[in-house]
């Protein structure tokens, strides 16, 4: 059992394999070795906690799909002003409020473009606001029962033990204090520790929300690579399709748009492999190889109109970030067949704010990489709805549109109803969540299979696979050994010292492995220690839950840290300088407030 647990933790720390695969292989190992029975091994997949988390993914997805979260983020962003301190407070409050009801990753996905836009208008370096954004999303998880999975894990531990569970807002008093401390820290000491640079780019325009077309083109250095060429009568390319010409493979040229003369002016046609070229057509192309472009013009008997050229208004430019858990990580644009999937052409790629000089289509994508794409309006909509794989963070100012869908009003009503039901205890929490998830689909917040796509199945499988580890620890006596080692040391049996120890271990592990997996392993230990030492389990479990939300000190401690690393131009040490003092501050606050809110005496 010990070998399986250590191997699982090491695999989590190395992060070379998907979390769900590691957890599931660990579960299979326990099953095949006979440590767990088939019933015990599969218990996690039928656990009400797992079902509730899956339902919350659907509810959160509906809030995102309907535009309610975007509207809330933009509305809150308008009150930010231009002061760095005021912006920090506004951003952190908005992020925490959203993450109290949404996943922290979903919160950052919504807020990132908003914050970057605020940075642009206020002329503030994004590095001053993106770490506060990420940290506030973690702190917001401390506010409610559904704010983060570790809260629900410790609650489930109480329920399984037959004890009274935490209520929906039981976390709020401690969570509000932690959030307040976090905001004060980031506005005073933290802002001095944050780097002053923008994104590492030569200019300050990159990664700043809704930007102008020249800013995006200049940021990626592709302005001189866009040319305008015309097919005169007699061109050898007239009467042939783009697929027939194979311009990308033969001449290393990407066709961004095709314009045809019309009675009321040029008409920009949809560009795809079946687009038929006609005499008089104008092609807008992108190529980094000037010699290849010259050969194209010569062989096709074409005319160079402008170099560099301005793209027609129908072609929109946008900037994307690859999230940490994207399915595209490790794959190339060619492997993904990006154009066929989204109808968007990748113009340039940057790795950690440095342009990729090799062929973009053959470069494997990594977390935090950014793409500059050219797309039409329908392609942009598809990109906006693909937050799990690509996150749209910058687009032309004129592309902004009303984010609300027709189902948005019903989404708000259902969300309020779910929160009321959970906070008053009218029905079981899992019932309230599953009913809300079903209603979100019924009212049309999702289309087709989007409800299933909104569920982070990697997290669901990982949680369901890790939960039986606690059973295995108990069956093999490993849990009793750890408890016995602590109980036998008089210096560790003080309730406050015990709280300190559990917080420190949980917080440390959360920097390297999933905070949910950490809480699944530490919560049973906290409960057993409380039983052995005749101490109330509530302060100990509350300490574990709070500690699990302090993944501040490394860019890999949580997906949200990784998500802002590239956009903020951060280095590993930036998270250490800001995160470690904040973790220590929250530790002191936990030792002070938790025993007051939840006394140690049972």
């Amino acid at each position: 059992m010990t070998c399986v647990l250590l191997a699982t933790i090491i695999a989590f720390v190395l992060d070379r394999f998907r979390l769900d695969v590691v957890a599931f292989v660990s579960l299979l190992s326990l099953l095949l070795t006979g440590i767990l029975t088939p019933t015990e091994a599969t218990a996690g997949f039928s656990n009400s906690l797992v079902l509730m988390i899956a339902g919350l993914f659907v509810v959160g997805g509906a809030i995102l799909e309907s535009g309610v979260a975007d509207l809330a983020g933009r509305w809150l962003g308008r009150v930010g002003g231009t002061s760095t301190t005021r912006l920090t407070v506004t951003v952190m409050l908005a992020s925490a409020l959203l993450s109290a009801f949404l996943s922290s990753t979903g919160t950052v996905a919504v807020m990132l473009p908003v914050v970057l836009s605020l940075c642009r208008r206020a002329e503030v370096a994004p590095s001053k606001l993106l770490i506060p954004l990420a940290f506030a999303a973690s702190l917001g998880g401390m506010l409610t029962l559904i704010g983060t999975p570790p809260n629900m894990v410790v609650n489930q531990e109480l329920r399984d033990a037959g004890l009274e569970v935490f209520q929906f807002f039981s976390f709020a008093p401690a969570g509000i204090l932690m959030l307040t401390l976090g905001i004060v820290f980031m506005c005073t000491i933290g802002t001095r520790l944050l780097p002053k640079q923008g994104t590492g780019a030569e200019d300050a325009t990159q990664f700043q929300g809704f930007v102008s077309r020249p800013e995006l083109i200049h940021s990626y250095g592709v302005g001189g690579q866009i040319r305008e060429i015309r097919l005169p009568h007699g061109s050898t390319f007239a009467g042939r399709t783009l697929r027939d010409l194979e311009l990308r493979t033969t001449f290393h040229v990407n066709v961004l748009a095709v314009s045809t003369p019309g009675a009321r002016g040029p008409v920009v046609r949809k560009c795809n492999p079946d687009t038929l070229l006609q005499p008089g057509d104008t092609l807008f192309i992108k190529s980094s190889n000037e010699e290849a472009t010259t050969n194209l013009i010569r062989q096709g008997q074409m005319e160079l109109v402008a170099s560099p050229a301005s793209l027609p208004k129908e072609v929109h430019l946008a900037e994307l970030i690859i999230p940490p858990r994207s399915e595209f990580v490790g794959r190339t644009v060619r492997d993904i067949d990006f154009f066929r999937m989204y109808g968007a052409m990748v113009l340039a790629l940057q790795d950690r704010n440095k342009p990729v000089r090799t062929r973009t289509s053959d470069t494997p994508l990594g977390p935090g990489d950014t793409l500059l794409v050219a797309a039409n309006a329908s392609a942009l909509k598809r990109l906006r709805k693909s937050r799990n794989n690509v996150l749209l963070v910058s687009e032309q100012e004129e592309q902004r549109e009303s984010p609300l869908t027709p189902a948005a009003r019903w989404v708000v009503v259902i969300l309020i109803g779910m929160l009321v039901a959970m906070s008053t205890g009218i029905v079981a929490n899992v019932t309230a969540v599953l009913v809300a998830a079903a209603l979100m689909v019924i009212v049309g917040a999702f289309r087709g299979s989007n409800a299933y796509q909104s569920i982070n199945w990697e997290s669901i499988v990982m949680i369901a696979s890790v939960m039986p580890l606690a059973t295995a620890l108990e069956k093999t006596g490993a849990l009793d050994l750890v408890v016995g080692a602590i109980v036998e040391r008089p210096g560790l049996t003080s309730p406050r010292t015990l709280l300190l120890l559990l917080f420190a271990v949980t917080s440390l592990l959360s920097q390297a492995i999933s905070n949910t997996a950490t809480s699944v392993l530490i919560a049973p230990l906290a409960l057993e220690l409380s039983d052995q030492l005749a101490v109330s389990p509530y302060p100990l479990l509350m300490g574990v839950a709070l500690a699990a939300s302090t993944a501040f000190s490394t860019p890999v401690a949580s997906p949200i840290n990784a998500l802002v690393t590239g956009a903020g131009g951060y280095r590993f040490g930036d998270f250490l300088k800001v995160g470690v003092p904040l973790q220590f501050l929250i530790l002191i606050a936990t030792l002070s407030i938790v025993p007051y809110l939840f006394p140690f005496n049972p």
Side-chain angles (χ1 to χ4, degrees):
M1 172 61 207
T2 303
C3 294
V4 173
L5 180 60
L6 288 176
T8 301
I9 293 175
I10 291 172
F12 277 148
V13 171
L14 294 177
D15 198 27
R16 293 185 179 179
F17 308 98
R18 286 169 54 110
L19 297 180
D20 54 342
V21 174
V22 172
F24 193 71
V25 169
S26 174
L27 179 63
L28 285 178
S29 300
L30 296 174
L31 178 61
L32 294 175
T33 54
I35 295 176
L36 292 178
T37 66
T39 301
E40 291 169 336
T42 57
F45 292 91
S46 60
N47 193 287
S48 60
L49 171 63
V50 175
L51 295 176
M52 185 164 69
I53 293 175
L56 287 171
F57 275 123
V58 176
V59 173
I63 297 172
L64 295 173
E65 286 277 333
S66 64
V68 172
D70 289 289
L71 184 65
R74 291 176 182 174
W75 180 80
L76 289 168
R78 292 193 189 103
V79 303
T82 58
S83 163
T84 302
T85 299
R86 184 176 173 182
L87 281 171
T88 301
V89 174
T90 301
V91 166
M92 293 190 72
L93 284 175
S95 178
L97 181 62
L98 286 175
S99 67
F101 307 103
L102 291 176
S103 71
S104 56
T105 305
T107 295
V108 174
V110 167
M111 289 295 298
L112 187 55
V114 177
V115 173
L116 294 172
S117 182
L118 288 174
C119 290
R120 175 174 175 264
R121 290 200 295 267
E123 297 183 353
V124 173
S127 59
K128 289 295 184 182
L129 291 181
L130 292 184
I131 275 183
L133 168 67
F135 287 5
S138 294
L139 292 169
M142 301 179 182
L143 296 175
T144 65
L145 174 64
I146 63 173
T148 183
N151 295 358
M152 293 180 277
V153 168
V154 299
N155 211 43
Q156 186 67 32
E157 196 67 31
L158 290 171
R159 180 177 288 107
D160 292 342
L163 300 173
E164 183 180 350
V165 298
F166 290 121
Q167 300 304 309
F168 189 81
F169 288 111
S170 295
F171 298 84
I176 291 173
L177 173 62
M178 304 307 170
L179 176 61
T180 303
L181 288 174
I183 293 175
V184 172
F185 173 80
M186 293 308 305
C187 290
T188 53
I189 300 173
T191 191
R192 299 176 183 176
L193 298 175
L194 289 170
K196 296 181 180 180
Q197 78 273 10
T199 63
E202 290 296 324
D203 58 272
T205 60
Q206 187 184 7
F207 286 118
Q208 295 187 4
F210 296 93
V211 299
S212 68
R213 177 175 298 190
E215 287 174 337
L216 281 175
I217 290 176
H218 176 68
S219 295
Y220 282 83
V222 297
Q225 301 175 14
I226 299 175
R227 299 173 174 86
E228 183 179 349
I229 57 177
R230 182 180 296 118
L231 275 72
H233 290 279
S235 170
T236 58
F237 287 174
R240 302 175 65 182
T241 66
L242 293 178
R243 178 184 284 109
D244 296 335
L245 295 174
E246 297 182 342
L247 301 183
R248 187 183 305 177
T249 56
T250 306
F251 299 99
H252 308 296
V253 165
N254 289 321
V255 180
L256 307 180
V258 177
S259 175
T260 300
R264 298 183 179 179
V267 177
V268 178
R269 292 187 283 149
K270 186 176 181 180
C271 186
N272 58 51
D274 295 322
T275 299
L276 181 67
L277 301 183
Q278 303 169 0
D281 281 354
T282 297
L283 273 63
F284 295 87
I285 64 172
K286 184 264 179 183
S287 176
S288 57
N289 190 325
E290 188 171 349
E291 183 179 352
T293 304
T294 302
N295 291 335
L296 167 68
I297 294 173
R298 184 179 65 253
Q299 292 188 28
Q301 299 179 11
M302 307 169 78
E303 299 174 351
L304 178 64
V305 178
S307 178
S310 298
L311 291 171
K313 63 180 181 179
E314 290 83 358
V315 179
H316 304 293
L317 297 182
E319 192 172 30
L320 313 173
I321 286 182
I322 304 298
R325 298 300 177 189
S326 170
E327 295 178 359
F328 298 162
V329 172
R331 302 168 63 188
T332 67
V333 172
R334 189 189 305 278
D335 294 336
I336 299 166
D337 202 352
F338 198 90
F339 182 77
R340 185 179 298 275
M341 178 176 291
Y342 294 109
M345 184 74 68
V346 177
L347 302 183
L349 167 66
Q350 288 190 348
D351 178 9
R352 303 287 176 142
N353 306 317
K354 297 179 181 179
V356 174
R357 300 300 181 186
T358 57
R359 293 187 62 183
T360 300
S361 58
D362 296 325
T363 303
L365 301 175
D369 286 356
T370 60
L371 306 174
L372 178 66
V373 301
N376 57 26
S378 60
L380 281 179
K381 290 181 180 180
R382 287 192 290 273
L383 288 168
R384 289 191 188 99
K385 293 181 179 180
S386 186
R387 282 190 171 100
N388 289 336
N389 290 322
V390 290
L391 179 60
L392 194 151
V393 292
S394 298
E395 51 185 316
Q396 295 166 214
E397 183 72 39
E398 62 269 19
Q399 291 166 206
R400 182 183 294 190
E401 58 182 31
S402 176
L404 293 179
T405 66
R409 183 176 302 176
W410 286 110
V411 168
V412 174
V413 171
I414 294 169
L415 175 63
I416 293 174
M418 183 192 79
L419 298 179
V420 170
M422 295 183 73
S423 59
T424 58
I426 298 174
V427 295
N429 288 337
V430 65
T431 303
V433 170
L434 293 181
V435 169
L439 289 176
M440 293 294 187
V441 177
I442 292 172
V443 301
F446 292 103
R447 291 183 179 179
S449 61
N450 287 355
Y452 289 103
Q453 294 174 1
S454 68
I455 299 175
N456 187 327
W457 293 105
E458 178 182 355
S459 296
I460 294 299
V461 173
M462 187 271 292
I463 295 170
S465 300
V466 167
M467 290 184 73
L469 285 179
T471 303
L473 287 171
E474 185 176 353
K475 286 187 65 176
T476 58
L479 185 61
D480 291 334
L481 286 175
V482 175
V483 171
I486 295 175
V487 171
E488 290 174 2
R489 294 180 177 272
L492 298 179
T493 55
S494 163
R496 200 173 293 270
T497 303
L498 200 56
L499 178 60
L500 168 63
L501 176 64
L502 290 170
F503 187 102
V505 172
T506 304
S507 184
L508 182 63
L509 285 177
S510 294
Q511 307 310 308
I513 67 176
S514 161
N515 62 355
T516 305
T518 299
S519 58
V520 168
L521 295 175
I522 302 299
L525 175 62
L527 189 64
E528 184 66 21
L529 284 170
S530 69
D531 183 58
Q532 291 288 329
L533 299 174
V535 174
S536 171
Y538 297 100
L540 301 183
L541 288 173
M542 178 61 69
V544 170
L546 294 175
S549 292
T550 60
F552 303 139
S553 297
T554 69
V556 297
S558 71
I560 54 177
N561 289 2
L563 196 57
V564 302
T565 297
Y570 297 120
R571 300 178 183 274
F572 193 95
D574 294 328
F575 285 89
L576 281 176
K577 287 190 297 183
V578 183
V580 171
L582 182 56
Q583 280 181 255
F584 184 76
L585 184 63
I586 292 179
L587 168 60
I588 299 301
T590 299
L591 294 177
S592 302
I593 190 68
V594 168
Y596 174 77
L597 296 173
F598 303 94
F600 287 116
N601 296 326

